[in-house]
């Protein structure tokens, strides 16, 4: 069985960063962020970890010809969705007003939705062996 290295490496990096950021939020930001901001930050971590697992799974099962579009949808969807949440939820700590990027979050979410939709279509089209 062939693996898809770019999915595996990206999934592992997403997972590593999600664990680091989750620990940072739990220990370093707990006292400085509001409960709402901390919950938002944790949502970003959770979605990043979900997509880390997805990338690892896809790295094992997806063929090279089907991978390019899905890879970029999940890569940029995760970066835009989780990344914008991290920035928006830590504005009080950093002192930087990131509200101008608030529309990036739903764009990232939209990319993730499209990626999942295409994955559903791909799985529906699978032939029984």
């Amino acid at each position: 069985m062939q693996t898809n290295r770019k999915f595996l490496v990206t999934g592992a990096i997403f997972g590593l960063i999600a664990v680091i950021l989750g620990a940072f939020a739990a220990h370093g930001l707990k006292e400085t962020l509001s409960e709402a901001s901390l919950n938002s930050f944790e949502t970003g971590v959770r979605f990043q970890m979900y997509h880390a697992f997805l990338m690892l799974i896809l790295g094992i099962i997806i063929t090279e010809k089907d991978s390019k579009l899905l890879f970029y949808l999940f890569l940029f969807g995760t970066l835009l969705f989780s990344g914008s949440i991290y920035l928006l939820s830590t504005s009080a700590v950093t002192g930087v007003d990131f509200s101008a990027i608030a529309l990036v979050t739903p764009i990232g979410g939209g990319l993730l939705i499209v990626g999942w939709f295409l994955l559903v279509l791909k799985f529906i089209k699978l032939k029984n062996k």
Side-chain angles (χ1 to χ4, degrees):
M1 171 183 279
Q2 281 202 338
T3 59
N4 194 315
R5 186 173 180 265
K6 67 183 174 186
F7 276 91
L8 294 172
V9 170
T10 303
I13 290 170
F14 276 1
L16 171 68
I17 293 170
V19 169
I20 291 168
L21 291 175
F24 178 63
H27 301 289
L29 296 176
K30 194 172 191 173
E31 301 300 321
T32 55
L33 291 183
S34 69
E35 186 175 337
S37 292
L38 191 58
N39 286 338
S40 291
F41 194 94
E42 289 171 351
T43 296
V45 170
R46 192 169 47 255
F47 271 75
Q48 182 173 329
M49 187 58 83
Y50 294 157
H51 290 89
F53 288 139
L54 175 65
M55 295 290 252
L56 292 171
I57 292 166
L58 290 177
I60 296 168
I61 68 169
I62 198 159
T63 63
E64 190 66 35
K65 81 174 181 93
D66 294 329
S67 70
K68 195 170 205 169
L69 179 58
L70 286 174
F71 177 77
Y72 288 112
L73 286 168
F74 291 128
L75 172 69
F76 290 115
T78 303
L79 291 174
L80 293 176
F81 183 81
S82 291
S84 63
I85 288 175
Y86 299 144
L87 294 175
L88 290 165
S89 63
T90 57
S91 289
V93 175
T94 63
V96 179
D97 180 14
F98 290 108
S99 61
I101 66 159
L103 290 177
V104 171
T105 309
I107 292 170
L111 293 174
L112 294 174
I113 291 167
V114 170
W116 280 101
F117 179 74
L118 292 177
L119 200 54
V120 167
L121 292 179
K122 177 177 175 34
F123 290 157
I124 288 171
K125 293 177 183 179
L126 282 177
K127 294 178 182 163
N128 290 332
K129 291 185 179 183

